[in-house]
Amino acid sequence: MQTQDGGGKARPNDKTRKREKGDVMASLIAGGVDCDVHPAVPHLTSLLPYLNDYWRDQVTTRGMVDLVSQSYPKNSPILARPDWRPEKGKPGESLEDMQRHVLDPFQLKLAICNPLYGVQMVFSEDMQAAFCRALNDWLVKEWLDRDPRLRGSIVIPTQSVEKAVAEIERCAQDRRFVQVLMLVMGDTPLGKRALWPIYEAAERLDLPVGIHAGSAYHNPPTAVGWGSYHIEDYVGQAQAFQTQLTSLIVEGVFAKYPRLKMVMLESGVSWISPYLWRLHKFWRGVRMETPWVDRAPLEIVRSNIRFSLQPFDAPPDEATLIRLFDHMQSDELVLFSTDYPHWQFDGQDALPEGLSPDLVRKIMIDNPHATYPRLI
Amino acid sequence: MNIQFREGTEAASPLTAKTAIADCDIHPARATRTELYPYLAKRWQHHLEIYGVHAYQGMMEGPPYPKAQPNASRRDAYPPEGGPQGSSLSFMQKQLLDPNNVQLGVLNPLNTGQGIRNHELSAALCSAINDWQIDKWTSKDKRLKASIVVGNEDGPSAAAEIRERAGDKNFVQVLLLSRNVEPLGQRRYWPIYQAAEEAGLPVGVHAFGFGGNPITPSGWPSYYIEEMVGHSQCQQSALASLVLEGVFERFPKLKMVMIEAGFGWAPSLAWRLDKAWQRLRSEVPHVKRPPSEYIREQVWWTTQPMEDPERREDLFDVIKWIGWDRLLFATDYPHWDYDEPSRVLPAGVSEANREAFYLGNARKLYGLD
């Protein structure tokens, strides 16, 4: 009997078939949707015009400083590609730079702005609600109104579910807001029932919920405690996404809200299949504990969960890439992203080598449109 | 998974004429609550009666995420003479060791002195467990080998326990759990690694433990399944910490075994570490080589619970990326998610890889060749 344990062989039905001689190299196509770009708030004072008198006064009299998250130290190499780093100010704070670096050269039709300003870190629900509201209004005025290719995500004050829902409903009136944005590490696991009104509102208003890498730092950034290093926090994002997927699936979010889509942003992708193999096995073993989970976790992920492309955390060889995409058994899971201005790739190499032209089209155009009902 | 052995099934199994295997994760249990008392000073016996163990969790007895069945163990594993599953040597021989031709069985006692806030009590209980492993198990069945259980939060006392047992052929590894007060790469645990390296013993890191940290970086989840699946995320974070703190660089002869936490995630974690290290290595200059190299050279993985892809051959890709020479077969007896040796590998594995997977890698790692 021939042994198969060498693995690594592409099968004929691979969606990501190996390029043959004469094939045009898979490359970026015009009209794509970038599902993860990050406009930066220059400073907390930039939000002052969007705060009411009370909060403006609070910010100034209390001497509040800029809300920069530990997840993104300003000068960290991953925060910005060297050629995308401005001479002064924060990477990503200038619309002209974003146009010059990503919107124009990647010939994008649309790009979804996910502001990562550290409003989630404060504990007061009142302060958080005021800052989120200001941040969302700032995004409309300083970005969405200034470039028709831009779309926005609604940043919500998760310290109060009631206020979060109110903010979703307020912003959703503007159809340029296409998703709700939460961090992967907050106060509680995301499947917890207390958060469900957020998901009810999102589903009702045609808004997928984007879960972005990052922490409110209200819990240790790993499940085994506080690590020493920035790199440790960054690597740990993938584990945080894994625990959140488990929570969302086993709490029954998608049984209750079957039309709800969630998008894992800056999550990495190479862990998805092995993680699901394990979850699936345990679910079969102890599903009596969560009988409301009415479909297998693998099916739930295929119908309701999507992942942004960058950072593509696999080695740069085609054979491995082909196997990884084949393990997913779906060409609908991945959405194009540059993660601008973060440093995930150089030049125009936003797509890993070895994707077929069909898959590139799915990732760059079809999958984002199928995921975000408000994208037009 | 939760299979039921009934009278006669072993004889009827197609694998009765079995090749020898190693089982690198067996959980021996105490038959009674006071079985360790003969190995404990009077002071600690009194202490336990009055105050209990005072762990890094809320419950005096049992886990806050109730298991799917008693003691998380197979319902058919209760010994006929009474006591919990895994507490009888003769029944373990009859149910596990003999029918599966286990040539090497590595004992990993749980619910020991680890994860306890009183570090002196922790050390006393661990030492007692180690004596008990010899008396009750390894001295009575030469196929069984023990793990040196150490008081995990007190590095110097743990190192002293390792040095005391070093050279004793009853022991083949040092045992830690994945969840501790801090990530396992932190300096407070280095005396353990130093002593293990000096003694030439691998350090096994078994999934589980209590260190007070929520089992997700977003707080405490609701269900047992989340804890179960979460162990693999804990293990990933613990391994990332070991690499990034420079433990493998500092202790180049140290070998570590990831036990019962899966292995499917290993390639992805290594790639992710490499990619981040390329960008951020100036923060961790003590990590001199790509993280994947340390992992490839110094880390082994037990197999149970085997990842279970819909297309089972997909597992071959992952095993190839890890290396067939790095996997150690384990059943997790007597726990409910036991992997049956005859069923875990898909068809189509070469004879050499099969032998390494079931026995050869373990014999080599644990110094029995």
Side-chain angles (χ1 to χ4, degrees):
Chain A
M1 181 176 172
Q2 196 186 348
T3 63
Q4 309 171 357
D5 42 348
K9 291 191 185 66
R11 298 184 184 93
N13 62 350
D14 278 345
K15 289 281 196 297
T16 47
R17 88 202 142 79
K18 205 168 172 69
R19 286 200 310 271
E20 285 159 22
K21 242 186 173 163
D23 269 10
V24 179
M25 186 171 152
S27 56
L28 296 159
I29 52 176
V33 180
D34 187 340
C35 295
D36 193 29
V37 299
H38 302 297
V41 174
H43 191 271
L44 182 55
T45 51
S46 316
L47 295 185
L48 288 178
Y50 305 95
L51 292 167
N52 67 21
D53 289 348
Y54 174 78
W55 286 110
R56 222 168 12 239
D57 186 55
Q58 289 278 303
V59 168
T60 46
T61 57
R62 293 169 77 175
M64 285 192 68
V65 296
D66 201 16
L67 304 176
V68 179
S69 165
Q70 289 269 351
S71 299
Y72 299 106
K74 193 175 83 174
N75 293 320
S76 165
I78 53 169
L79 188 76
R81 249 169 73 160
D83 55 330
W84 288 349
R85 198 176 273 284
E87 277 177 27
K88 56 178 187 172
K90 291 178 186 171
E93 74 172 39
S94 142
L95 173 64
E96 291 68 31
D97 279 354
M98 185 188 281
Q99 289 166 335
R100 189 162 54 88
H101 293 150
V102 64
L103 298 177
D104 299 340
F106 288 87
Q107 297 178 272
L108 296 171
K109 181 181 170 202
L110 297 165
I112 301 174
C113 296
N114 295 319
L116 297 176
Y117 196 55
V119 291
Q120 291 91 351
M121 292 186 296
V122 301
F123 288 91
S124 152
E125 65 174 67
D126 305 308
M127 182 182 285
Q128 209 182 57
F131 286 166
C132 286
R133 186 187 176 100
L135 181 59
N136 293 326
D137 289 346
W138 168 87
L139 186 71
V140 170
K141 192 96 175 156
E142 319 243 345
W143 295 82
L144 308 189
D145 283 352
R146 293 176 58 209
D147 192 311
R149 291 168 292 188
L150 295 180
R151 296 293 179 271
S153 292
I154 306 167
V155 178
I156 56 172
T158 47
Q159 293 297 305
S160 160
V161 172
E162 198 185 342
K163 291 185 169 74
V165 170
E167 184 63 10
I168 292 169
E169 289 175 340
R170 186 182 77 88
C171 294
Q173 294 169 35
D174 184 338
R175 298 286 295 182
R176 290 173 300 175
F177 278 111
V178 299
Q179 99 182 320
V180 173
L181 188 67
M182 300 172 84
L183 293 183
V184 73
M185 295 182 241
D187 293 71
T188 67
L190 288 170
K192 283 280 191 180
R193 309 282 161 78
L195 299 173
W196 284 20
I198 294 171
Y199 307 141
E200 186 279 325
E203 188 194 45
R204 169 164 45 87
L205 296 164
D206 290 333
L207 295 162
V209 176
I211 311 296
H212 198 280
S215 181
Y217 291 94
H218 293 186
N219 283 292
T222 85
V224 294
W226 293 88
S228 304
Y229 305 109
H230 169 55
I231 184 175
E232 207 169 342
D233 286 9
Y234 193 69
V235 170
Q237 305 287 344
Q239 288 89 63
F241 279 100
Q242 292 163 36
T243 60
Q244 292 293 19
L245 273 186
T246 309
S247 171
L248 290 163
I249 290 167
V250 306
E251 293 271 5
V253 169
F254 303 104
K256 178 80 174 177
Y257 307 109
R259 288 197 308 114
L260 181 67
K261 290 268 201 312
M262 288 208 175
V263 185
M264 307 295 129
L265 295 160
E266 205 177 330
S267 59
V269 292
S270 63
W271 51 265
I272 297 169
S273 298
Y275 158 77
L276 286 173
W277 297 339
R278 185 176 170 91
L279 175 64
H280 189 75
K281 176 168 180 163
F282 286 145
W283 173 73
R284 284 190 316 190
V286 298
R287 55 187 292 191
M288 55 77 182
E289 189 192 20
T290 56
W292 48 83
V293 181
D294 54 354
R295 291 180 296 152
L298 284 163
E299 287 177 46
I300 292 173
V301 167
R302 281 176 200 145
S303 60
N304 295 76
I305 308 286
R306 298 294 177 261
F307 302 85
S308 70
L309 178 69
Q310 291 292 346
F312 193 76
D313 46 4
D317 69 279
E318 274 189 50
T320 305
L321 173 123
I322 287 167
R323 299 306 314 132
L324 283 173
F325 271 90
D326 187 51
H327 290 173
M328 290 185 213
Q329 297 184 64
S330 168
D331 55 5
E332 296 179 348
L333 296 186
V334 178
L335 313 180
F336 179 71
S337 69
T338 59
D339 196 22
Y340 177 83
H342 297 171
W343 189 11
Q344 306 293 8
F345 58 89
D346 292 303
Q348 295 286 97
D349 298 337
L351 293 170
E353 286 284 309
L355 301 178
S356 70
D358 284 352
L359 188 53
V360 169
R361 189 183 168 80
K362 295 281 285 187
I363 289 174
M364 292 196 70
I365 297 175
D366 299 346
N367 294 347
H369 282 283
T371 303
Y372 294 101
R374 289 176 167 223
L375 281 191
I376 43 165
Chain B
M1 301 285 269
N2 196 27
I3 54 167
Q4 296 275 321
F5 271 85
R6 293 190 180 81
E7 212 52 51
T9 43
E10 293 120 54
S13 159
L15 284 197
T16 304
K18 283 171 177 148
T19 49
I21 64 168
D23 183 347
C24 295
D25 190 26
I26 299 174
H27 299 296
R30 277 97 80 184
T32 64
R33 190 178 63 82
T34 56
E35 195 168 293
L36 284 186
Y37 280 18
Y39 309 98
L40 282 170
K42 274 271 179 287
R43 185 231 153 154
W44 292 120
Q45 297 178 26
H46 288 304
H47 185 104
L48 288 174
E49 292 297 326
I50 298 167
Y51 301 108
V53 295
H54 216 47
Y56 288 96
Q57 63 124 343
M59 312 264 286
M60 283 300 284
E61 281 184 68
Y65 296 104
K67 309 289 184 190
Q69 47 204 67
N71 305 313
S73 292
R74 288 163 47 173
R75 295 184 194 279
D76 66 341
Y78 284 105
E81 66 266 39
Q85 305 96 323
S87 64
S88 155
L89 173 62
S90 61
F91 193 60
M92 183 188 286
Q93 290 165 332
K94 181 166 181 281
Q95 194 170 38
L96 174 72
L97 303 178
D98 298 342
N100 292 304
N101 195 10
V102 175
Q103 189 191 87
L104 163 65
V106 179
L107 301 175
N108 291 319
L110 302 176
N111 305 308
T112 62
Q114 298 184 324
I116 291 176
R117 286 189 270 166
N118 179 331
H119 296 173
E120 261 190 277
L121 172 61
S122 171
L125 275 168
C126 289
S127 182
I129 280 279
N130 294 334
D131 289 337
W132 168 85
Q133 289 184 84
I134 299 174
D135 277 6
K136 180 168 176 177
W137 305 92
T138 60
S139 65
K140 300 216 165 74
D141 190 320
K142 291 298 170 198
R143 292 172 290 186
L144 296 176
K145 294 292 178 187
S147 296
I148 305 174
V149 181
V150 295
N152 50 317
E153 300 301 349
D154 181 355
S157 122
E161 180 71 17
I162 295 167
R163 294 201 171 97
E164 197 178 311
R165 309 281 175 179
D168 181 339
K169 293 296 177 198
N170 286 293
F171 296 96
V172 294
Q173 75 179 348
V174 173
L175 185 65
L176 292 173
L177 301 179
S178 57
R179 299 178 61 201
N180 302 276
V181 168
E182 292 189 86
L184 272 178
Q186 294 286 333
R187 300 295 193 281
R188 64 193 287 164
Y189 307 113
W190 284 23
I192 298 172
Y193 308 134
Q194 186 178 353
E197 189 189 47
E198 282 168 14
L201 292 168
V203 174
V205 179
H206 191 286
F208 211 72
F210 294 110
N213 298 299
I215 191 166
T216 89
S218 199
W220 294 100
S222 306
Y223 302 106
Y224 172 53
I225 187 175
E226 299 183 79
E227 185 190 43
M228 287 191 72
V229 178
H231 289 312
S232 84
Q233 283 87 48
C234 292
Q235 202 89 7
Q236 291 172 61
S237 297
L239 180 56
S241 165
L242 288 160
V243 171
L244 295 172
E245 294 284 349
V247 169
F248 296 116
E249 181 66 38
R250 171 70 181 268
F251 305 107
K253 294 202 185 92
L254 181 67
K255 296 171 177 174
M256 298 199 85
V257 190
M258 303 290 120
I259 304 172
E260 205 187 334
F263 56 82
W265 47 264
S268 171
L269 179 71
W271 296 330
R272 187 173 175 89
L273 278 163
D274 279 1
K275 183 161 181 177
W277 177 80
Q278 283 167 14
R279 295 274 188 271
L280 301 171
R281 54 191 294 189
S282 66
E283 191 197 18
V284 285
H286 51 276
V287 181
K288 299 202 166 75
R289 293 187 288 147
S292 62
E293 290 186 17
Y294 298 107
I295 293 173
R296 183 68 182 85
E297 289 166 22
Q298 291 179 257
V299 179
W300 280 252
W301 320 81
T302 66
T303 55
Q304 180 280 339
M306 285 276 278
E307 273 83 358
D308 212 356
E310 287 172 299
R311 302 177 310 197
R312 298 192 73 202
E313 68 274 14
D314 286 350
L315 205 55
F316 290 140
D317 292 321
V318 174
I319 295 179
K320 187 191 73 160
W321 293 329
I322 293 173
W324 277 95
D325 59 336
R326 283 299 184 272
L327 295 181
L328 311 169
F329 176 73
T331 66
D332 195 30
Y333 181 88
H335 291 166
W336 69 269
D337 45 349
Y338 173 89
D339 271 348
E340 160 64 28
S342 62
R343 297 197 178 96
V344 295
L345 272 190
V349 180
S350 74
E351 198 46 46
N353 284 341
R354 182 173 285 273
E355 197 280 332
F357 177 94
Y358 278 113
L359 182 63
N361 296 338
R363 287 190 55 89
K364 208 163 151 189
L365 173 69
Y366 290 122
L368 300 173
D369 271 345

